[in-house]
Amino acid sequence: MQKTSSVKLPVQTPEGLKPMKVDVQEIDANLVIRKQQALMQAKANATPPVVEPIKHRDYRVGAGDVLTVIVWGHPDLTLPTGNFRSAEESGTVVSEDGTIFFPFVGVLKVEGKTIPQVRDLISQRLSPYIENVQVSIRVAAFRSKRIYVAGEVESPGVYAITDIPMTVVEAVNQAGGFTDNADKSRVLLNRNGELTLLDLLAVYEYGDLSQNIRLQNGDILTVADNQLNKVYILGEVKATGSLTIRNGRMTLAEALSDSGNIDMETANPYQIFVVRGGETPEIYHLSAKEPDALLLAEGFPLQRRDILFVDTADLVRWNKFISNLTPSRNFFELDTSADNLLGTGGGGGSTFNPL
């Protein structure tokens, strides 16, 4: 087996990109162990996004919200609802300046206050006019705070933040969940122009709640697609092409199986290569002549944009070379026969001149 790449590849160095040959690494038990340990260490060292922890807080009223105010025992102070008017239609809308108007109270600043604070404020203002006043307030329509969900979800759109905390998982669920083409490990949060990459796959599979952050008004969530999460299968397999890594996992054995397996009539199972690009290219080699070597393939994780190549057997390559020579030999024999037929060959025959 060759020890280095046959051509020079662009490699990132402290002095910048330079053309260099890359070592070919053998896929053996030691390499598989190192890869698994490195993966576990990377997860342990991963820095979670610095975000506000999830905890329940009272909803704060904002401009555009619709409030229903009920003064018990005084229906004349409550706008009526019925079959023809919903609570939203009959409620009190918070104006753009964050105020509402209520009888005997006048104009009140309610923006930024919780529902209990608004209730206490109205009760205090009504107490000079009503003895033992009892006020009930609820939000009939949440209109002041919203988030935007885009990308690979079933129903992209605008969603209101209510008195129930809106998290990333909740937002995706309200948007109908992920599509089949979604990359759950790449959910981009745009908060006031600051981008944070979230991994919801870690939430679902490892319980990493640090990725399930609480959303704020104006946040934009974009779920990436799987177009970049592909590996490319080339060489002597039954079906060459590309495969999509689903849920962040695909091993070398899985890729070989999904491509129809090695073509045993033409492939050289000693020469299976994985080529990995990037700033520091890597080349891996697996000799899978014996079936138990495929256990190493099962323990070798592929990464997106990897190239899997199965080389051609030497005998098959030789046969192709011979078959390519055969038409050339037949052509020369046919050409010689034509010359003899037309009288242009050697000997003392007459010369054929079509003119």
Side-chain angles (χ1 to χ4, degrees):
M1 185 199 76
Q2 63 186 60
K3 300 298 183 181
T4 61
S5 59
S6 57
V7 298
K8 292 183 178 181
L9 302 174
V11 179
Q12 185 67 42
T13 67
E15 294 78 22
L17 285 174
K18 289 188 175 181
M20 300 174 59
K21 288 193 173 183
V22 178
D23 292 337
V24 178
Q25 305 179 55
E26 188 69 26
I27 299 179
D28 54 17
N30 291 328
L31 179 66
V32 170
I33 292 173
R34 291 199 305 271
K35 289 291 182 182
Q36 293 177 351
Q37 290 176 342
L39 182 61
M40 296 176 60
Q41 188 63 38
K43 291 181 179 179
N45 295 338
T47 303
V50 181
V51 293
E52 178 185 4
I54 298 175
K55 59 182 180 181
H56 182 76
R57 295 185 307 179
D58 289 335
Y59 180 81
R60 295 190 177 273
V61 177
D65 286 339
V66 180
L67 305 181
T68 297
V69 183
I70 300 175
V71 182
W72 295 99
H74 294 271
D76 53 319
L77 296 179
T78 303
L79 293 175
T81 60
N83 293 332
F84 303 102
R85 298 187 66 187
S86 65
E88 180 177 346
E89 294 172 334
S90 61
T92 302
V93 180
V94 181
S95 62
E96 292 185 1
D97 60 0
T99 62
I100 62 171
F101 175 81
F102 198 76
F104 297 107
V105 174
V107 177
L108 291 177
K109 181 74 171 181
V110 297
E111 185 177 18
K113 299 182 183 298
T114 65
I115 295 300
Q117 289 174 339
V118 177
R119 182 184 63 236
D120 293 342
L121 182 59
I122 293 179
S123 299
Q124 181 184 359
R125 296 290 183 89
L126 286 177
S127 59
Y129 310 100
I130 302 174
E131 186 177 358
N132 296 325
V133 60
Q134 297 183 39
V135 179
S136 175
I137 300 178
R138 70 182 184 87
V139 181
F142 298 90
R143 296 178 176 176
S144 63
K145 301 173 181 64
R146 60 189 65 186
I147 56 101
Y148 306 86
V149 184
E152 294 299 325
V153 290
E154 294 292 347
S155 301
V158 183
Y159 294 89
I161 298 178
T162 66
D163 53 343
I164 300 175
M166 176 72 79
T167 64
V168 177
V169 171
E170 178 67 20
V172 171
N173 288 339
Q174 287 196 24
F178 295 106
T179 65
D180 292 338
N181 195 38
D183 183 357
K184 302 181 183 67
S185 64
R186 297 180 61 83
V187 179
L188 189 65
L189 169 64
N190 185 341
R191 175 171 294 173
N192 299 323
E194 183 177 347
L195 303 181
T196 303
L197 188 61
L198 302 173
D199 183 2
L200 290 194
L201 190 63
V203 177
Y204 298 131
E205 297 199 350
Y206 308 111
D208 184 5
L209 296 181
S210 67
Q211 306 291 320
N212 186 29
I213 69 175
R214 182 171 182 167
L215 299 178
Q216 300 177 4
N217 182 36
D219 283 351
I220 303 174
L221 280 182
T222 304
V223 180
D225 59 33
N226 261 325
Q227 292 304 312
L228 295 179
N229 295 338
K230 290 185 176 182
V231 296
Y232 303 97
I233 317 298
L234 305 174
E236 301 301 331
V237 293
K238 295 293 181 63
T240 59
S242 62
L243 298 174
T244 300
I245 299 178
R246 301 289 182 183
N247 295 327
R249 297 183 303 272
M250 178 177 286
T251 65
L252 176 54
E254 184 179 359
L256 289 172
S257 176
D258 289 350
S259 62
N261 214 335
I262 298 173
D263 190 338
M264 301 305 296
E265 296 181 355
T266 60
N268 182 0
Y270 286 105
Q271 303 292 342
I272 300 176
F273 295 92
V274 175
V275 182
R276 182 167 298 165
E279 293 185 351
T280 306
E282 299 173 339
I283 301 177
Y284 300 93
H285 169 258
L286 174 68
S287 177
K289 181 63 175 178
E290 301 299 331
D292 50 3
L294 295 177
L295 292 175
L296 297 175
E298 176 60 24
F300 185 83
L302 297 179
Q303 298 180 9
R304 60 179 189 161
R305 319 304 285 183
D306 278 354
I307 300 174
L308 171 58
F309 177 75
V310 180
D311 201 2
T312 306
D314 293 338
L315 182 59
V316 174
R317 186 180 288 110
W318 172 253
N319 288 338
K320 289 182 178 180
F321 174 75
I322 295 301
S323 63
N324 288 334
L325 289 180
T326 302
S328 300
R329 179 174 179 273
N330 292 337
F331 172 78
F332 287 119
E333 290 179 350
L334 179 62
D335 183 62
T336 303
S337 300
D339 287 344
N340 292 333
L341 179 62
L342 297 175
T344 59
S350 62
T351 302
F352 174 78
N353 188 348
L355 299 179

